[in-house]
Amino acid sequence: MIQIRKSATRGKADHGWLNSMHTFSFANYYDPRYTSFGPLRVINEDKVIGGQGFGTHSHSNMEIISYVLGGALEHKDSMGTGSVLRYGDVQRMSAGSGVSHSEFNHSADEPVHFLQIWLFPDQENIAPSYQETNFSPEDKRGQLRLIASPDGAAGSLLIHQDARIYATILDGAQRLNHTLASGRGAYVQVARGQLQVNGITLEAGDALQVRDESQLTLENGNDAEVLVFDLAL
């Protein structure tokens, strides 16, 4: 079963300083059809104007991943971590028993564009932790680059959930196949560009929710940057 989620059908929040598109029910957006997919709870596409951001707030028992698409995202947290993330940087924060953090646009005048991703953890109240790494365009071009996994394989970020997250940049005649094991599903989120997944044309912001399929085929990309979530369902 493949379910298409067009970009324009996502929840919308325009706060002036923040424009956010919600894949799943979040804050004031609620749709009972879209509350989560397996352990995947949130995919928010956020654009924050210069000099603005999210003030200090708290989380617990959530795996939080930020995937920066443009600009500079400044992070500070109660663990003492501070960082500025730019395109290619991916951050993982395991909120565990509780952590406070802030996220601001590091630039005074240029916008920052990123995907904020939350997954339910496979165990609660673990010690909070933080990790970040950079995956260059070359790392992702023409291949499914593992960026997060439960075992930290291949230099990926370590997440506390039976989920593997891949990123790819696909163009022209490049074609990728990904096999899904029994009992697993996939969520495919297009960050930018255009491509076909299992013959379905997707544009920037579009997504596919996949169950009971054995394989994904990604092809006919036009400067496409895509995240693929391989999830236990």
Side-chain angles (χ1 to χ4, degrees):
M1 184 198 79
I2 298 178
Q3 181 178 346
I4 304 170
R5 184 80 192 275
K6 298 299 290 183
S7 176
T9 69
R10 294 179 294 175
K12 303 174 181 65
D14 188 349
H15 300 286
W17 63 273
L18 165 69
N19 183 280
S20 186
M21 301 292 286
H22 305 322
T23 291
F24 301 104
S25 296
F26 187 87
N28 293 327
Y29 166 63
Y30 178 73
D31 188 326
R33 299 171 299 172
Y34 304 109
T35 57
S36 61
F37 182 64
L40 182 57
R41 175 61 189 89
V42 167
I43 304 177
N44 289 346
E45 182 181 359
D46 290 343
K47 296 178 181 178
V48 179
I49 67 172
Q52 298 294 315
F54 303 88
T56 302
H57 57 286
S58 298
H59 297 282
S60 62
N61 294 318
M62 197 67 70
E63 300 291 295
I64 300 172
I65 295 168
S66 297
Y67 187 97
V68 179
L69 291 162
L73 180 67
E74 184 171 359
H75 166 92
K76 293 181 180 178
D77 63 44
S78 56
M79 295 177 285
T81 305
S83 185
V84 177
L85 306 165
R86 294 178 170 83
Y87 176 59
D89 291 331
V90 185
Q91 167 194 285
R92 184 272 299 164
M93 187 173 68
S94 295
S97 58
V99 66
S100 298
H101 77 133
S102 62
E103 293 172 296
F104 273 83
N105 188 339
H106 184 68
S107 170
D109 45 26
E110 296 294 327
V112 62
H113 181 197
F114 65 104
L115 297 178
Q116 181 182 158
I117 299 157
W118 298 6
L119 297 101
F120 294 115
D122 59 11
Q123 52 186 313
E124 294 193 344
N125 298 321
I126 61 174
S129 62
Y130 178 92
Q131 189 181 11
E132 68 177 70
T133 193
N134 180 274
F135 300 94
S136 71
E138 292 72 27
D139 287 334
K140 297 175 281 191
R141 198 173 303 280
Q143 62 178 326
L144 285 167
R145 176 63 167 98
L146 185 66
I147 64 169
S149 68
D151 53 7
S156 61
L157 300 170
L158 178 67
I159 54 175
H160 300 89
Q161 180 52 258
D162 184 8
R164 295 183 185 275
I165 307 174
Y166 301 86
T168 186
I169 297 173
L170 205 63
D171 216 10
Q174 296 170 327
R175 176 186 173 116
L176 298 173
N177 293 311
H178 179 72
T179 299
L180 293 170
S182 177
R184 300 187 73 83
Y187 201 91
V188 181
Q189 180 71 50
V190 183
R192 62 172 126 239
Q194 180 192 73
L195 82 162
Q196 289 184 322
V197 180
N198 288 22
I200 299 168
T201 299
L202 301 174
E203 312 276 350
D206 292 349
L208 289 183
Q209 182 174 289
V210 181
R211 297 177 183 266
D212 302 321
E213 299 283 337
S214 61
Q215 184 166 277
L216 296 176
T217 300
L218 290 72
E219 59 188 339
N220 297 323
N222 182 5
D223 195 29
E225 184 160 1
V226 185
L227 294 182
V228 176
F229 300 80
D230 185 325
L231 307 161
L233 297 180

mmCIF file of all heavy atoms in Angstrom, residues 74-120:
data_model
loop_
_atom_site.group_PDB
_atom_site.id
_atom_site.type_symbol
_atom_site.label_atom_id
_atom_site.label_comp_id
_atom_site.label_asym_id
_atom_site.label_seq_id
_atom_site.Cartn_x
_atom_site.Cartn_y
_atom_site.Cartn_z
ATOM 1 N N GLU A 74 21.342 27.957 14.869
ATOM 2 C CA GLU A 74 22.115 27.976 16.115
ATOM 3 C C GLU A 74 21.374 27.207 17.198
ATOM 4 O O GLU A 74 20.194 27.446 17.453
ATOM 5 C CB GLU A 74 22.368 29.405 16.569
ATOM 6 C CG GLU A 74 23.245 29.494 17.811
ATOM 7 C CD GLU A 74 23.670 30.910 18.139
ATOM 8 O OE1 GLU A 74 23.303 31.826 17.386
ATOM 9 O OE2 GLU A 74 24.376 31.087 19.146
ATOM 10 N N HIS A 75 22.076 26.283 17.846
ATOM 11 C CA HIS A 75 21.498 25.405 18.861
ATOM 12 C C HIS A 75 22.230 25.609 20.180
ATOM 13 O O HIS A 75 23.457 25.655 20.231
ATOM 14 C CB HIS A 75 21.630 23.941 18.416
ATOM 15 C CG HIS A 75 21.378 22.951 19.505
ATOM 16 N ND1 HIS A 75 20.133 22.421 19.734
ATOM 17 C CD2 HIS A 75 22.206 22.381 20.427
ATOM 18 C CE1 HIS A 75 20.208 21.569 20.744
ATOM 19 N NE2 HIS A 75 21.453 21.534 21.177
ATOM 20 N N LYS A 76 21.443 25.688 21.282
ATOM 21 C CA LYS A 76 21.999 25.670 22.638
ATOM 22 C C LYS A 76 21.101 24.812 23.500
ATOM 23 O O LYS A 76 19.875 24.835 23.336
ATOM 24 C CB LYS A 76 22.086 27.091 23.211
ATOM 25 C CG LYS A 76 23.085 27.995 22.519
ATOM 26 C CD LYS A 76 23.142 29.378 23.164
ATOM 27 C CE LYS A 76 24.142 30.268 22.459
ATOM 28 N NZ LYS A 76 24.186 31.635 23.052
ATOM 29 N N ASP A 77 21.697 24.060 24.444
ATOM 30 C CA ASP A 77 20.857 23.202 25.283
ATOM 31 C C ASP A 77 21.385 23.127 26.708
ATOM 32 O O ASP A 77 22.475 23.616 27.032
ATOM 33 C CB ASP A 77 20.713 21.806 24.661
ATOM 34 C CG ASP A 77 22.015 21.042 24.540
ATOM 35 O OD1 ASP A 77 22.808 21.041 25.505
ATOM 36 O OD2 ASP A 77 22.260 20.422 23.482
ATOM 37 N N SER A 78 20.578 22.497 27.562
ATOM 38 C CA SER A 78 20.894 22.398 28.990
ATOM 39 C C SER A 78 21.993 21.392 29.283
ATOM 40 O O SER A 78 22.439 21.288 30.436
ATOM 41 C CB SER A 78 19.625 22.042 29.774
ATOM 42 O OG SER A 78 19.034 20.844 29.282
ATOM 43 N N MET A 79 22.450 20.657 28.262
ATOM 44 C CA MET A 79 23.595 19.756 28.432
ATOM 45 C C MET A 79 24.908 20.498 28.238
ATOM 46 O O MET A 79 25.981 19.909 28.369
ATOM 47 C CB MET A 79 23.503 18.588 27.436
ATOM 48 C CG MET A 79 22.320 17.677 27.654
ATOM 49 S SD MET A 79 22.189 16.357 26.393
ATOM 50 C CE MET A 79 21.575 17.268 24.981
ATOM 51 N N GLY A 80 24.813 21.782 27.884
ATOM 52 C CA GLY A 80 26.018 22.574 27.652
ATOM 53 C C GLY A 80 26.479 22.574 26.222
ATOM 54 O O GLY A 80 27.559 23.104 25.908
ATOM 55 N N THR A 81 25.694 22.006 25.335
ATOM 56 C CA THR A 81 26.055 21.939 23.928
ATOM 57 C C THR A 81 25.640 23.214 23.221
ATOM 58 O O THR A 81 24.530 23.721 23.426
ATOM 59 C CB THR A 81 25.356 20.749 23.238
ATOM 60 O OG1 THR A 81 25.660 19.562 23.960
ATOM 61 C CG2 THR A 81 25.823 20.600 21.808
ATOM 62 N N GLY A 82 26.523 23.733 22.384
ATOM 63 C CA GLY A 82 26.213 24.873 21.534
ATOM 64 C C GLY A 82 26.840 24.660 20.176
ATOM 65 O O GLY A 82 27.977 24.191 20.070
ATOM 66 N N SER A 83 26.081 24.983 19.118
ATOM 67 C CA SER A 83 26.587 24.706 17.782
ATOM 68 C C SER A 83 25.840 25.550 16.767
ATOM 69 O O SER A 83 24.713 25.995 17.011
ATOM 70 C CB SER A 83 26.407 23.221 17.453
ATOM 71 O OG SER A 83 26.995 22.911 16.207
ATOM 72 N N VAL A 84 26.457 25.782 15.616
ATOM 73 C CA VAL A 84 25.798 26.411 14.476
ATOM 74 C C VAL A 84 25.819 25.410 13.329
ATOM 75 O O VAL A 84 26.887 24.979 12.895
ATOM 76 C CB VAL A 84 26.480 27.730 14.063
ATOM 77 C CG1 VAL A 84 25.810 28.308 12.817
ATOM 78 C CG2 VAL A 84 26.429 28.740 15.204
ATOM 79 N N LEU A 85 24.649 25.041 12.870
ATOM 80 C CA LEU A 85 24.496 24.010 11.845
ATOM 81 C C LEU A 85 24.194 24.653 10.504
ATOM 82 O O LEU A 85 23.351 25.561 10.410
ATOM 83 C CB LEU A 85 23.370 23.053 12.225
ATOM 84 C CG LEU A 85 23.457 22.409 13.610
ATOM 85 C CD1 LEU A 85 22.121 21.796 13.998
ATOM 86 C CD2 LEU A 85 24.557 21.365 13.638
ATOM 87 N N ARG A 86 24.848 24.158 9.454
ATOM 88 C CA ARG A 86 24.642 24.653 8.101
ATOM 89 C C ARG A 86 24.304 23.496 7.164
ATOM 90 O O ARG A 86 24.218 22.352 7.611
ATOM 91 C CB ARG A 86 25.880 25.418 7.629
ATOM 92 C CG ARG A 86 26.126 26.699 8.431
ATOM 93 C CD ARG A 86 27.383 27.421 7.989
ATOM 94 N NE ARG A 86 27.489 28.753 8.585
ATOM 95 C CZ ARG A 86 27.964 28.996 9.802
ATOM 96 N NH1 ARG A 86 28.394 27.988 10.559
ATOM 97 N NH2 ARG A 86 28.016 30.229 10.263
ATOM 98 N N TYR A 87 24.109 23.808 5.881
ATOM 99 C CA TYR A 87 23.682 22.771 4.952
ATOM 100 C C TYR A 87 24.599 21.544 5.023
ATOM 101 O O TYR A 87 25.822 21.671 4.994
ATOM 102 C CB TYR A 87 23.662 23.305 3.518
ATOM 103 C CG TYR A 87 23.322 22.232 2.516
ATOM 104 C CD1 TYR A 87 22.110 21.541 2.598
ATOM 105 C CD2 TYR A 87 24.213 21.871 1.513
ATOM 106 C CE1 TYR A 87 21.798 20.540 1.707
ATOM 107 C CE2 TYR A 87 23.905 20.868 0.612
ATOM 108 C CZ TYR A 87 22.692 20.208 0.709
ATOM 109 O OH TYR A 87 22.387 19.200 -0.177
ATOM 110 N N GLY A 88 23.984 20.384 5.107
ATOM 111 C CA GLY A 88 24.719 19.131 5.225
ATOM 112 C C GLY A 88 24.879 18.658 6.651
ATOM 113 O O GLY A 88 25.149 17.481 6.884
ATOM 114 N N ASP A 89 24.730 19.571 7.608
ATOM 115 C CA ASP A 89 24.822 19.188 9.013
ATOM 116 C C ASP A 89 23.515 18.543 9.467
ATOM 117 O O ASP A 89 22.426 19.008 9.126
ATOM 118 C CB ASP A 89 25.113 20.397 9.895
ATOM 119 C CG ASP A 89 26.511 20.959 9.694
ATOM 120 O OD1 ASP A 89 27.414 20.177 9.341
ATOM 121 O OD2 ASP A 89 26.688 22.175 9.882
ATOM 122 N N VAL A 90 23.650 17.475 10.239
ATOM 123 C CA VAL A 90 22.494 16.785 10.810
ATOM 124 C C VAL A 90 22.745 16.635 12.304
ATOM 125 O O VAL A 90 23.826 16.218 12.727
ATOM 126 C CB VAL A 90 22.263 15.404 10.163
ATOM 127 C CG1 VAL A 90 20.980 14.776 10.702
ATOM 128 C CG2 VAL A 90 22.205 15.514 8.652
ATOM 129 N N GLN A 91 21.748 16.993 13.092
ATOM 130 C CA GLN A 91 21.852 16.977 14.548
ATOM 131 C C GLN A 91 20.866 15.985 15.136
ATOM 132 O O GLN A 91 19.733 15.888 14.672
ATOM 133 C CB GLN A 91 21.529 18.387 15.061
ATOM 134 C CG GLN A 91 21.278 18.513 16.544
ATOM 135 C CD GLN A 91 20.653 19.861 16.858
ATOM 136 O OE1 GLN A 91 21.325 20.878 16.850
ATOM 137 N NE2 GLN A 91 19.348 19.870 17.118
ATOM 138 N N ARG A 92 21.320 15.248 16.166
ATOM 139 C CA ARG A 92 20.424 14.346 16.906
ATOM 140 C C ARG A 92 20.485 14.694 18.375
ATOM 141 O O ARG A 92 21.569 14.751 18.960
ATOM 142 C CB ARG A 92 20.836 12.890 16.681
ATOM 143 C CG ARG A 92 19.906 11.857 17.340
ATOM 144 C CD ARG A 92 20.303 11.537 18.779
ATOM 145 N NE ARG A 92 21.633 10.974 18.873
ATOM 146 C CZ ARG A 92 22.336 10.888 19.993
ATOM 147 N NH1 ARG A 92 21.857 11.363 21.133
ATOM 148 N NH2 ARG A 92 23.544 10.343 20.007
ATOM 149 N N MET A 93 19.316 14.908 18.951
ATOM 150 C CA MET A 93 19.224 15.136 20.387
ATOM 151 C C MET A 93 18.252 14.112 20.961
ATOM 152 O O MET A 93 17.083 14.070 20.566
ATOM 153 C CB MET A 93 18.741 16.551 20.684
ATOM 154 C CG MET A 93 18.783 16.905 22.167
ATOM 155 S SD MET A 93 18.389 18.651 22.485
ATOM 156 C CE MET A 93 16.658 18.684 22.027
ATOM 157 N N SER A 94 18.740 13.265 21.834
ATOM 158 C CA SER A 94 17.880 12.330 22.553
ATOM 159 C C SER A 94 17.429 13.031 23.829
ATOM 160 O O SER A 94 18.226 13.254 24.745
ATOM 161 C CB SER A 94 18.635 11.041 22.894
ATOM 162 O OG SER A 94 18.980 10.345 21.710
ATOM 163 N N ALA A 95 16.139 13.392 23.873
ATOM 164 C CA ALA A 95 15.645 14.175 25.006
ATOM 165 C C ALA A 95 15.596 13.354 26.286
ATOM 166 O O ALA A 95 15.787 13.888 27.383
ATOM 167 C CB ALA A 95 14.268 14.744 24.680
ATOM 168 N N GLY A 96 15.298 12.062 26.162
ATOM 169 C CA GLY A 96 15.341 11.173 27.305
ATOM 170 C C GLY A 96 14.563 11.687 28.503
ATOM 171 O O GLY A 96 13.404 12.090 28.395
ATOM 172 N N SER A 97 15.210 11.691 29.660
ATOM 173 C CA SER A 97 14.549 12.082 30.912
ATOM 174 C C SER A 97 14.251 13.572 30.991
ATOM 175 O O SER A 97 13.577 14.009 31.922
ATOM 176 C CB SER A 97 15.410 11.653 32.101
ATOM 177 O OG SER A 97 16.702 12.226 32.014
ATOM 178 N N GLY A 98 14.739 14.355 30.026
ATOM 179 C CA GLY A 98 14.393 15.775 29.987
ATOM 180 C C GLY A 98 15.563 16.653 29.600
ATOM 181 O O GLY A 98 16.663 16.501 30.137
ATOM 182 N N VAL A 99 15.322 17.560 28.651
ATOM 183 C CA VAL A 99 16.344 18.507 28.227
ATOM 184 C C VAL A 99 15.654 19.780 27.764
ATOM 185 O O VAL A 99 14.527 19.745 27.268
ATOM 186 C CB VAL A 99 17.221 17.905 27.096
ATOM 187 C CG1 VAL A 99 16.410 17.672 25.828
ATOM 188 C CG2 VAL A 99 18.432 18.771 26.815
ATOM 189 N N SER A 100 16.316 20.910 27.976
ATOM 190 C CA SER A 100 15.835 22.188 27.463
ATOM 191 C C SER A 100 16.787 22.668 26.379
ATOM 192 O O SER A 100 18.006 22.458 26.467
ATOM 193 C CB SER A 100 15.768 23.235 28.580
ATOM 194 O OG SER A 100 14.859 22.831 29.591
ATOM 195 N N HIS A 101 16.229 23.316 25.349
ATOM 196 C CA HIS A 101 17.102 23.830 24.297
ATOM 197 C C HIS A 101 16.427 24.999 23.586
ATOM 198 O O HIS A 101 15.238 25.255 23.739
ATOM 199 C CB HIS A 101 17.474 22.718 23.304
ATOM 200 C CG HIS A 101 16.396 22.360 22.327
ATOM 201 N ND1 HIS A 101 16.626 22.211 20.974
ATOM 202 C CD2 HIS A 101 15.074 22.128 22.502
ATOM 203 C CE1 HIS A 101 15.495 21.886 20.366
ATOM 204 N NE2 HIS A 101 14.549 21.821 21.259
ATOM 205 N N SER A 102 17.229 25.713 22.801
ATOM 206 C CA SER A 102 16.729 26.783 21.949
ATOM 207 C C SER A 102 17.315 26.594 20.560
ATOM 208 O O SER A 102 18.391 26.020 20.393
ATOM 209 C CB SER A 102 17.116 28.154 22.503
ATOM 210 O OG SER A 102 18.527 28.304 22.539
ATOM 211 N N GLU A 103 16.571 27.080 19.561
ATOM 212 C CA GLU A 103 17.023 27.017 18.172
ATOM 213 C C GLU A 103 16.756 28.377 17.539
ATOM 214 O O GLU A 103 15.600 28.825 17.499
ATOM 215 C CB GLU A 103 16.272 25.938 17.398
ATOM 216 C CG GLU A 103 16.565 24.515 17.854
ATOM 217 C CD GLU A 103 15.647 23.512 17.179
ATOM 218 O OE1 GLU A 103 14.428 23.587 17.414
ATOM 219 O OE2 GLU A 103 16.156 22.683 16.426
ATOM 220 N N PHE A 104 17.802 29.014 17.065
ATOM 221 C CA PHE A 104 17.678 30.353 16.496
ATOM 222 C C PHE A 104 18.356 30.418 15.137
ATOM 223 O O PHE A 104 19.286 29.661 14.845
ATOM 224 C CB PHE A 104 18.313 31.401 17.418
ATOM 225 C CG PHE A 104 17.379 31.921 18.473
ATOM 226 C CD1 PHE A 104 17.185 31.225 19.657
ATOM 227 C CD2 PHE A 104 16.661 33.092 18.263
ATOM 228 C CE1 PHE A 104 16.309 31.694 20.624
ATOM 229 C CE2 PHE A 104 15.786 33.569 19.229
ATOM 230 C CZ PHE A 104 15.602 32.872 20.412
ATOM 231 N N ASN A 105 17.865 31.332 14.319
ATOM 232 C CA ASN A 105 18.561 31.653 13.088
ATOM 233 C C ASN A 105 19.829 32.413 13.455
ATOM 234 O O ASN A 105 19.765 33.503 14.048
ATOM 235 C CB ASN A 105 17.649 32.491 12.184
ATOM 236 C CG ASN A 105 18.239 32.695 10.800
ATOM 237 O OD1 ASN A 105 19.438 32.561 10.595
ATOM 238 N ND2 ASN A 105 17.383 33.030 9.845
ATOM 239 N N HIS A 106 20.967 31.879 13.102
ATOM 240 C CA HIS A 106 22.256 32.477 13.447
ATOM 241 C C HIS A 106 22.496 33.774 12.673
ATOM 242 O O HIS A 106 23.265 34.633 13.114
ATOM 243 C CB HIS A 106 23.365 31.472 13.157
ATOM 244 C CG HIS A 106 24.727 31.920 13.543
ATOM 245 N ND1 HIS A 106 25.114 32.088 14.856
ATOM 246 C CD2 HIS A 106 25.813 32.252 12.788
ATOM 247 C CE1 HIS A 106 26.374 32.488 14.903
ATOM 248 N NE2 HIS A 106 26.821 32.596 13.663
ATOM 249 N N SER A 107 21.824 33.916 11.537
ATOM 250 C CA SER A 107 22.000 35.095 10.695
ATOM 251 C C SER A 107 20.969 36.157 11.052
ATOM 252 O O SER A 107 19.821 35.854 11.368
ATOM 253 C CB SER A 107 21.861 34.724 9.214
ATOM 254 O OG SER A 107 21.793 35.885 8.406
ATOM 255 N N ALA A 108 21.374 37.413 10.954
ATOM 256 C CA ALA A 108 20.455 38.514 11.232
ATOM 257 C C ALA A 108 19.523 38.799 10.063
ATOM 258 O O ALA A 108 18.460 39.397 10.245
ATOM 259 C CB ALA A 108 21.246 39.777 11.568
ATOM 260 N N ASP A 109 19.919 38.385 8.856
ATOM 261 C CA ASP A 109 19.110 38.778 7.699
ATOM 262 C C ASP A 109 18.795 37.648 6.723
ATOM 263 O O ASP A 109 17.870 37.779 5.911
ATOM 264 C CB ASP A 109 19.788 39.924 6.938
ATOM 265 C CG ASP A 109 21.274 39.705 6.735
ATOM 266 O OD1 ASP A 109 21.707 38.542 6.713
ATOM 267 O OD2 ASP A 109 21.999 40.703 6.603
ATOM 268 N N GLU A 110 19.495 36.531 6.770
ATOM 269 C CA GLU A 110 19.226 35.422 5.855
ATOM 270 C C GLU A 110 18.339 34.385 6.540
ATOM 271 O O GLU A 110 18.528 34.070 7.719
ATOM 272 C CB GLU A 110 20.530 34.751 5.411
ATOM 273 C CG GLU A 110 21.449 35.658 4.610
ATOM 274 C CD GLU A 110 20.874 36.055 3.268
ATOM 275 O OE1 GLU A 110 20.142 35.227 2.679
ATOM 276 O OE2 GLU A 110 21.141 37.188 2.812
ATOM 277 N N PRO A 111 17.366 33.807 5.830
ATOM 278 C CA PRO A 111 16.510 32.783 6.439
ATOM 279 C C PRO A 111 17.263 31.474 6.660
ATOM 280 O O PRO A 111 18.285 31.217 6.016
ATOM 281 C CB PRO A 111 15.384 32.595 5.411
ATOM 282 C CG PRO A 111 16.007 32.993 4.107
ATOM 283 C CD PRO A 111 16.973 34.088 4.425
ATOM 284 N N VAL A 112 16.768 30.661 7.583
ATOM 285 C CA VAL A 112 17.271 29.302 7.763
ATOM 286 C C VAL A 112 16.134 28.331 7.453
ATOM 287 O O VAL A 112 14.976 28.582 7.791
ATOM 288 C CB VAL A 112 17.838 29.075 9.185
ATOM 289 C CG1 VAL A 112 16.787 29.244 10.270
ATOM 290 C CG2 VAL A 112 18.484 27.696 9.290
ATOM 291 N N HIS A 113 16.474 27.260 6.775
ATOM 292 C CA HIS A 113 15.497 26.281 6.275
ATOM 293 C C HIS A 113 15.942 24.902 6.745
ATOM 294 O O HIS A 113 17.067 24.475 6.462
ATOM 295 C CB HIS A 113 15.482 26.346 4.737
ATOM 296 C CG HIS A 113 14.512 25.423 4.078
ATOM 297 N ND1 HIS A 113 14.600 25.093 2.728
ATOM 298 C CD2 HIS A 113 13.421 24.756 4.551
ATOM 299 C CE1 HIS A 113 13.611 24.284 2.413
ATOM 300 N NE2 HIS A 113 12.894 24.049 3.496
ATOM 301 N N PHE A 114 15.075 24.219 7.486
ATOM 302 C CA PHE A 114 15.469 22.896 7.984
ATOM 303 C C PHE A 114 14.248 22.022 8.205
ATOM 304 O O PHE A 114 13.117 22.500 8.316
ATOM 305 C CB PHE A 114 16.298 23.006 9.268
ATOM 306 C CG PHE A 114 15.576 23.577 10.470
ATOM 307 C CD1 PHE A 114 15.154 22.751 11.497
ATOM 308 C CD2 PHE A 114 15.339 24.944 10.582
ATOM 309 C CE1 PHE A 114 14.507 23.266 12.611
ATOM 310 C CE2 PHE A 114 14.696 25.468 11.690
ATOM 311 C CZ PHE A 114 14.272 24.631 12.710
ATOM 312 N N LEU A 115 14.502 20.716 8.256
ATOM 313 C CA LEU A 115 13.488 19.734 8.624
ATOM 314 C C LEU A 115 13.693 19.354 10.077
ATOM 315 O O LEU A 115 14.808 18.992 10.481
ATOM 316 C CB LEU A 115 13.583 18.489 7.748
ATOM 317 C CG LEU A 115 13.330 18.671 6.255
ATOM 318 C CD1 LEU A 115 13.508 17.335 5.528
ATOM 319 C CD2 LEU A 115 11.951 19.241 5.982
ATOM 320 N N GLN A 116 12.636 19.456 10.857
ATOM 321 C CA GLN A 116 12.651 19.023 12.251
ATOM 322 C C GLN A 116 11.893 17.698 12.320
ATOM 323 O O GLN A 116 10.725 17.614 11.939
ATOM 324 C CB GLN A 116 11.984 20.075 13.142
ATOM 325 C CG GLN A 116 11.989 19.714 14.613
ATOM 326 C CD GLN A 116 11.290 20.759 15.463
ATOM 327 O OE1 GLN A 116 10.861 20.453 16.564
ATOM 328 N NE2 GLN A 116 11.159 21.986 14.985
ATOM 329 N N ILE A 117 12.580 16.659 12.805
ATOM 330 C CA ILE A 117 12.061 15.291 12.769
ATOM 331 C C ILE A 117 12.057 14.736 14.189
ATOM 332 O O ILE A 117 13.064 14.845 14.901
ATOM 333 C CB ILE A 117 12.956 14.409 11.856
ATOM 334 C CG1 ILE A 117 12.949 14.951 10.416
ATOM 335 C CG2 ILE A 117 12.504 12.956 11.900
ATOM 336 C CD1 ILE A 117 14.162 14.523 9.611
ATOM 337 N N TRP A 118 10.936 14.152 14.586
ATOM 338 C CA TRP A 118 10.845 13.505 15.895
ATOM 339 C C TRP A 118 10.457 12.046 15.705
ATOM 340 O O TRP A 118 9.586 11.724 14.887
ATOM 341 C CB TRP A 118 9.772 14.143 16.778
ATOM 342 C CG TRP A 118 9.963 15.574 17.139
ATOM 343 C CD1 TRP A 118 10.919 16.443 16.703
ATOM 344 C CD2 TRP A 118 9.122 16.324 18.028
ATOM 345 N NE1 TRP A 118 10.731 17.676 17.268
ATOM 346 C CE2 TRP A 118 9.644 17.639 18.080
ATOM 347 C CE3 TRP A 118 8.003 16.008 18.783
ATOM 348 C CZ2 TRP A 118 9.061 18.636 18.851
ATOM 349 C CZ3 TRP A 118 7.415 16.999 19.565
ATOM 350 C CH2 TRP A 118 7.954 18.298 19.595
ATOM 351 N N LEU A 119 11.092 11.182 16.494
ATOM 352 C CA LEU A 119 10.697 9.780 16.571
ATOM 353 C C LEU A 119 10.514 9.393 18.033
ATOM 354 O O LEU A 119 11.279 9.838 18.901
ATOM 355 C CB LEU A 119 11.747 8.851 15.949
ATOM 356 C CG LEU A 119 12.025 9.019 14.467
ATOM 357 C CD1 LEU A 119 13.302 9.817 14.263
ATOM 358 C CD2 LEU A 119 12.154 7.664 13.767
ATOM 359 N N PHE A 120 9.517 8.566 18.295
ATOM 360 C CA PHE A 120 9.377 8.001 19.628
ATOM 361 C C PHE A 120 10.589 7.118 19.917
ATOM 362 O O PHE A 120 11.032 6.355 19.052
ATOM 363 C CB PHE A 120 8.111 7.162 19.741
ATOM 364 C CG PHE A 120 6.833 7.933 19.612
ATOM 365 C CD1 PHE A 120 5.976 7.703 18.549
ATOM 366 C CD2 PHE A 120 6.471 8.882 20.557
ATOM 367 C CE1 PHE A 120 4.778 8.393 18.427
ATOM 368 C CE2 PHE A 120 5.285 9.585 20.452
ATOM 369 C CZ PHE A 120 4.433 9.345 19.381
#
